[in-house]
Amino acid sequence: MRLREGKGVRGRGYLENLTGEAPVATWRVPVATWAVALARRAVLLVAIVAGLLAVAASAQTNGQAANYVPSAENLKARQEFQDAKFGMFIHWGTYSVLGDGEWIFHERHLTVHEYERLPHFFDPEKFDAKAWVSLAKAAGMKYITITSRHHDGFAMFDSKVSDWNIVQRTPYGKDPLKMLAEECHRQGIKLFFYYSQLDWHNPDYFPRGQTSWNNGRPDHGDWNAYLDNYMDGQLRELLTNYGAIGGIWFDGMWDKPDADWHLAKTYALIHQLQPAALIIPNHHQTPKPGEDVQTFERDLPGRNTAGFNTNYVSDRLPLESSNTLNGAWGFNIGDSNYKSPEELEEMLVRAAGNNSNLLLNIGPMPNGEIQDEFVTRLHAVGEWVARYGEAIYGTRGGPVAPGDWGVTTQKGDRVYVHVLHWNAPLLALPPFERKIAGAQMLGGGAVEFTQNGNGLVVKVPEAAGKEVDRVVVLSLGK
Ligand code: FHN
């Protein structure tokens, strides 16, 4: 914190904090007598000492995060995460009732009072945790990331921190995340909780951020209480009441990019409660200390077609790219813009070739069912992945830079050349450091190739029908 002496309105002087927080002390001017002048100096001194202490304390907590050394469990979890490659993203909340996405509170500029009517209609009597987890598995997905609460702040779990939650405010009255967590444990699939740091409902989310509108909340609130009691309190619940979880997927920090989010404290809490839990922040910025995965929204790592992603790509952390099966995150009754199974398969292959996971979103309906259009496409992808999974799961981005033609992935001594868009019979690739000992199609069939100092030329068989990905497996020699 840096301090500057200033003069305010109505004859009040103040100490201005140049780091943008509230003034730390105020006093009256003009100042005439030596006693008052002395008092001013004393106040100034106290404020400076307090400031220095605050700086030291903050340096200490930031230092903690800066010196974050992931535990052995955490490093193992990162590897498993990278190996998993394909996850199911689920946006589901009371907003689903209106069938118009998860931003409806904001888009219709509803008041808190109006929005609070919604939970009364949320009764997902057809919710079946077993069916959801089985669907993810049938699609070849290895983890699930579900909204434990979105920007409306409504907890989709049993929270004691506030009654703004599914158990207390809906006729359903049960905790679907508990059922989901139990089912995930039963079926051996990891569960991550999406948690929105942005909150359109809680008055303590103040000062409000870029997405604010006048929704009836008072123009004051306790930001520290929001972070330290409310948010950390709920995170503590999520990390203690649901068994081992995969991690926390944060979203919404972009609403107040310059605020102090007490990240070091929150991240330390998470890693202390579950060292293996991964922190995945969707803040669209360069990764910060304490974070375990870098995620990109609607973009491959390093691309920024969405307009809000960073071009920086970590070479240290696992990478993830999230996208939607149609155009929406939360259930949108009018969105029939479904991606075909072939498009989804290509998306997965391109993610893997960019050394990244794909987190593919569906928005279940308010009754708890997942619409058929999602189910059939996910089954189709699952069938494809059952045949081609060897070239996806457990791989890392391969030695050849991705291009329009396709990508490469690698696992040990095997390089998988994924030919996605290439119509000529010969595909020329740059030189490989190691000798290629053999080449064959995944699924069988020898492949002719020549290798010399200029590169590698592979003879690619013609695509059969709608075949998305012709995978040539190269065995690396000594
Ligand atoms: O505003 C959200 C949006 O509703 C959705 O949750 C996506 C998922 O990545 N993230 C936010 C925008 O960055």
Side-chain angles (χ1 to χ4, degrees), residues 89 91 102-103 150-151 194 249 251 254 282 284 297 308 322 329:
F89 207 178
H91 276 67
E102 72 290 355
W103 271 63
H150 202 263
H151 308 332
Y194 170 112
W249 206 98
D251 201 358
W254 39 262
N282 186 38
H284 312 148
E297 182 177 334
F308 43 65
S322 63
W329 298 104

Side-chain angles (χ1 to χ4, degrees), residues 402-426:
D404 282 348
W405 63 272
V407 297
T408 56
T409 54
Q410 181 166 0
K411 191 162 30 181
D413 284 343
R414 298 189 123 199
V415 172
Y416 301 94
V417 181
H418 298 259
V419 185
L420 296 166
H421 297 285
W422 189 254
N423 292 324
L426 296 180

Side-chain angles (χ1 to χ4, degrees), residues 59-82:
Q60 210 184 1
T61 41
N62 286 332
Q64 263 168 28
N67 298 331
Y68 167 56
V69 180
S71 63
E73 299 102 295
N74 189 283
L75 291 173
K76 182 164 170 277
R78 289 185 189 187
Q79 266 197 22
E80 287 166 2
F81 182 80
Q82 279 184 298

